[in-house]
Amino acid sequence: MRKFIVGVMGAGEDAEEGAKEMAFRLGGLIAREGWVVLSGGRQAGVMEEVNRGAKQIAGSLTVGILPTAQAAVSDYVDVVITTDMGNARNNLNVLSSDVVVACGTGGAGTVSEIALAIKAKKPVILLGTDRDSKAFFQRIGKAAVHTADHPEGVIARIKTIKG
Amino acid sequence: MRKFIVGVMGAGEDAEEGAKEMAFRLGGLIAREGWVVLSGGRQAGVMEEVNRGAKQIAGSLTVGILPTAQAAVSDYVDVVITTDMGNARNNLNVLSSDVVVACGTGGAGTVSEIALAIKAKKPVILLGTDRDSKAFFQRIGKAAVHTADHPEGVIARIKTIKG
Amino acid sequence: MRKFIVGVMGAGEDAEEGAKEMAFRLGGLIAREGWVVLSGGRQAGVMEEVNRGAKQIAGSLTVGILPTAQAAVSDYVDVVITTDMGNARNNLNVLSSDVVVACGTGGAGTVSEIALAIKAKKPVILLGTDRDSKAFFQRIGKAAVHTADHPEGVIARIKTIKG
Amino acid sequence: MRKFIVGVMGAGEDAEEGAKEMAFRLGGLIAREGWVVLSGGRQAGVMEEVNRGAKQIAGSLTVGILPTAQAAVSDYVDVVITTDMGNARNNLNVLSSDVVVACGTGGAGTVSEIALAIKAKKPVILLGTDRDSKAFFQRIGKAAVHTADHPEGVIARIKTIKG
């Protein structure tokens, strides 16, 4: 019964417009495949948009792993996991995902999640990340770090990874 | 979109037959209400049975919060959250539940979850717990600690709590 | 070089006078043995008093494992470990202690720590705990749960456990 | 009584010789200032060497925050904090440090700690890090990210930060 989970990481309040648009489209595409969208669950930036995108699709399922009980939760999250462990929850986000997608360049939180995903040997897909960041992460994570230029490319890549 | 979550706690390998039977019935009853079943997710005892019971119902949703990536997961869990934080994950189980049900007398793990639920001011329902344990927890948790003798009583109590 | 660590758990703001007096004496006795005092680190109740007692002794060392970065820290803690993980840190308190002492009857937080200590197979000593609580924990933890009526009895018991 | 804590992060088994030599010298220099050395605590690489260096100095104090109870602990750690939370403990390492030093280029674990330190607004000092990594982290962390070419430079920088 276990569902396939795609973790989507990215900036909250500081997210760029382009990253938010990609997150919205990506959420819908993941949901259309019948996969679960997992995110940090907050009502901001990439987290908000990927869940909003997923919930346009009937039968979609979204899971948010919240840093604190006080955090404002996205209205588009079905299942809220409250950790009350701040950014230590970033490790849970990646461990609970079958594939980790970083959407946009992101800030320090997203960087920590990419690094923790590499450490946990999870496949990582960088979507719309700048050239220097790509080079940095591919040096550390080698073949486990993939890149995509648009949400459709992420889906295609995940299908290859699933085999 | 946020779904109502009932956390069901109880023994794993050491669970008594009576507790397992109640867990199976309780899982089905929770699912019939359209609520999510949340548990420790392992393939043992109360965790296994509450998920198995829920998955007899079409449209049910089960979430398991695993202590480690190595733990054997119940086949009846839809969404697996991997914490890799051992029994510190017990606090996540209770924080993520709208109501916490302890099924059977349970061992030290269940006791820690009841105590953490009281600490987090979550409503707790003791199902089929022995008299001394009931008295102990009601002294600590006062009005937040409820009791029930059978799974139907748990559902009725949750409806009262939800108001 | 590894030092022997005695974890002392107990109530914060709600601690009874008797428990605080015993904690102060116990802190001094642990320090005199050259052992480290480990606690929840907050500036309240048993945590404050056990650290204050220890710091009356030259060469003592006190470690506090804080639930949040915002918690008021006891002035008598030498080494502050900040977890920002709320009561999930209770599991760290017990895992990091060679022996766990519960001082006074304590509330739900202390109960969770005793239960997590039993789960982790750590020796537990109940100091000045009421009769019903003693019976409850000895039923769950069996031979791993010891009792003492005064701080000197705790030290004697630890020496027996250390062998 | 609260002691000033310098967290030193770096690779374990994969640490380069140069990073290990710098870690050994840095440990001694931190201890000479009367500051506490905090690390991941394992018996490998930068963790082992920074603690070994510190313990050459009389009166030094070393704290290790272990990922699991099974991890081999450095013989040069005085106070062992066992988290049993895998790499989620990386966030505790940085939250518990007044300053975070990354020694050598490090792998994914070290990258996650630098990122989490930036997220937690802790001052970070990169010691002997390659040019591309420096540029990457300074872009993310801006003025909070400092660099040093040798252990003496780290101590000087910490004194400036302490003010």
Side-chain angles (χ1 to χ4, degrees):
Chain A
M1 312 250 171
R2 188 170 177 170
K3 292 174 192 293
F4 188 80
I5 299 181
V6 180
V8 181
M9 313 298 153
E13 288 73 9
D14 301 332
E16 300 148 11
E17 275 314 303
K20 292 200 280 189
E21 281 167 31
M22 283 194 297
F24 178 81
R25 282 169 51 209
L26 180 60
L29 292 171
I30 293 170
R32 232 168 255 151
E33 298 291 334
W35 302 333
V36 175
V37 169
L38 183 148
S39 72
R42 295 199 298 110
Q43 193 174 39
V46 164
M47 293 175 269
E48 173 73 1
E49 291 305 309
V50 74
N51 287 306
R52 195 168 67 85
K55 294 314 294 180
Q56 311 304 311
I57 309 299
S60 62
L61 182 59
T62 55
V63 175
I65 302 193
L66 286 185
T68 65
Q70 291 74 42
V73 187
S74 167
D75 289 338
Y76 303 98
V77 170
D78 295 308
V79 176
V80 175
I81 303 296
T82 301
T83 67
D84 196 25
M85 49 193 283
N87 288 303
R89 77 84 154 79
N90 294 3
N91 199 45
L92 277 67
N93 291 359
V94 305
L95 293 178
S96 302
S97 301
D98 293 294
V99 178
V100 174
V101 182
C103 182
T105 290
T110 306
V111 170
S112 77
E113 287 165 318
I114 298 169
L116 289 165
I118 293 170
K119 186 85 181 169
K121 301 190 194 306
K122 296 280 180 180
V124 174
I125 303 172
L126 306 177
L127 169 62
T129 306
D130 64 282
R131 179 185 304 226
D132 286 354
S133 299
K134 274 187 204 172
F136 178 79
F137 287 118
Q138 290 188 316
R139 186 157 56 86
I140 297 168
K142 303 201 172 65
V145 176
H146 310 266
T147 62
D149 293 328
H150 46 73
E152 289 76 13
V154 170
I155 302 299
R157 180 58 77 176
I158 294 175
K159 287 182 177 170
T160 314
I161 292 168
K162 288 190 73 175
Chain B
M1 310 253 171
R2 186 169 178 170
K3 294 174 189 294
F4 187 80
I5 298 180
V6 180
V8 180
M9 313 298 153
E13 288 73 9
D14 302 332
E16 302 148 10
E17 275 312 303
K20 291 201 281 189
E21 281 166 31
M22 284 195 298
F24 178 81
R25 282 169 51 208
L26 180 61
L29 292 171
I30 293 170
R32 231 168 256 150
E33 298 291 335
W35 302 332
V36 175
V37 169
L38 182 147
S39 72
R42 294 198 300 110
Q43 193 174 38
V46 164
M47 293 176 268
E48 174 73 0
E49 291 304 311
V50 74
N51 288 306
R52 195 169 67 86
K55 294 313 295 180
Q56 310 304 312
I57 308 301
S60 62
L61 183 60
T62 55
V63 175
I65 303 193
L66 286 184
T68 66
Q70 291 74 42
V73 187
S74 168
D75 289 337
Y76 303 98
V77 170
D78 296 307
V79 175
V80 175
I81 304 296
T82 301
T83 67
D84 196 27
M85 50 192 284
N87 288 303
R89 76 89 155 75
N90 294 4
N91 199 45
L92 277 66
N93 292 358
V94 306
L95 294 178
S96 302
S97 301
D98 292 295
V99 178
V100 173
V101 182
C103 181
T105 289
T110 306
V111 170
S112 76
E113 288 166 320
I114 298 170
L116 289 165
I118 293 170
K119 185 84 182 171
K121 300 188 193 308
K122 295 279 178 178
V124 174
I125 304 173
L126 306 177
L127 169 62
T129 305
D130 65 281
R131 179 186 303 224
D132 286 355
S133 298
K134 273 188 204 170
F136 177 80
F137 288 119
Q138 290 188 317
R139 185 158 56 85
I140 296 167
K142 305 200 171 64
V145 176
H146 311 266
T147 64
D149 294 327
H150 45 74
E152 290 74 14
V154 171
I155 302 298
R157 179 59 75 177
I158 294 175
K159 287 182 177 170
T160 315
I161 291 168
K162 287 190 71 173
Chain C
M1 313 249 170
R2 188 169 176 171
K3 293 174 191 292
F4 187 81
I5 298 181
V6 181
V8 181
M9 312 298 153
E13 287 73 9
D14 302 331
E16 301 148 10
E17 275 312 303
K20 291 200 281 189
E21 281 167 30
M22 283 195 297
F24 179 82
R25 282 167 53 208
L26 179 61
L29 292 171
I30 293 169
R32 232 169 253 150
E33 298 291 335
W35 302 332
V36 174
V37 169
L38 182 147
S39 72
R42 294 198 299 110
Q43 193 173 39
V46 163
M47 293 176 268
E48 173 73 1
E49 290 305 309
V50 74
N51 287 306
R52 195 169 67 86
K55 294 313 295 179
Q56 311 302 311
I57 308 300
S60 61
L61 182 60
T62 55
V63 174
I65 302 192
L66 286 185
T68 65
Q70 291 73 44
V73 187
S74 166
D75 289 339
Y76 302 98
V77 170
D78 296 308
V79 175
V80 175
I81 304 296
T82 301
T83 67
D84 195 27
M85 51 193 281
N87 288 304
R89 76 85 153 79
N90 294 4
N91 199 44
L92 278 65
N93 291 358
V94 305
L95 294 179
S96 302
S97 300
D98 293 294
V99 178
V100 173
V101 182
C103 182
T105 290
T110 306
V111 170
S112 76
E113 288 165 320
I114 297 169
L116 289 165
I118 292 169
K119 185 85 181 167
K121 301 189 192 308
K122 296 280 179 178
V124 174
I125 304 172
L126 306 177
L127 170 60
T129 305
D130 65 282
R131 180 185 303 225
D132 286 354
S133 299
K134 272 188 206 172
F136 177 80
F137 287 119
Q138 290 188 317
R139 185 158 55 87
I140 297 167
K142 304 202 171 65
V145 176
H146 310 265
T147 63
D149 294 328
H150 45 74
E152 289 76 14
V154 170
I155 302 298
R157 180 58 76 176
I158 294 175
K159 287 182 176 170
T160 314
I161 292 168
K162 287 191 70 176
Chain D
M1 312 251 170
R2 186 169 179 170
K3 292 175 191 293
F4 187 80
I5 298 180
V6 180
V8 181
M9 311 301 153
E13 287 73 9
D14 302 331
E16 301 148 10
E17 275 313 302
K20 292 201 280 190
E21 281 167 30
M22 283 195 297
F24 179 81
R25 282 167 52 207
L26 180 61
L29 293 171
I30 293 170
R32 233 168 253 149
E33 297 291 335
W35 302 332
V36 175
V37 169
L38 182 146
S39 72
R42 295 198 298 111
Q43 193 174 37
V46 163
M47 292 176 268
E48 173 74 1
E49 291 304 310
V50 73
N51 287 307
R52 195 169 67 88
K55 294 313 295 181
Q56 310 303 312
I57 309 300
S60 62
L61 183 59
T62 56
V63 175
I65 303 193
L66 286 184
T68 65
Q70 290 74 42
V73 187
S74 167
D75 290 338
Y76 302 99
V77 170
D78 296 308
V79 175
V80 175
I81 304 297
T82 301
T83 67
D84 196 25
M85 49 193 284
N87 288 303
R89 75 89 154 75
N90 295 4
N91 199 46
L92 277 66
N93 291 358
V94 306
L95 294 178
S96 302
S97 300
D98 292 295
V99 178
V100 173
V101 182
C103 182
T105 289
T110 306
V111 170
S112 77
E113 288 166 320
I114 298 170
L116 290 165
I118 292 169
K119 186 85 181 168
K121 300 188 193 307
K122 295 280 180 178
V124 174
I125 303 173
L126 306 177
L127 169 61
T129 306
D130 65 282
R131 180 187 302 224
D132 286 353
S133 299
K134 273 188 205 172
F136 177 80
F137 288 118
Q138 290 188 317
R139 185 157 56 85
I140 297 167
K142 303 202 171 66
V145 176
H146 309 267
T147 63
D149 295 326
H150 46 74
E152 289 75 13
V154 171
I155 302 299
R157 179 58 75 176
I158 294 175
K159 288 182 176 169
T160 314
I161 291 168
K162 288 189 71 173

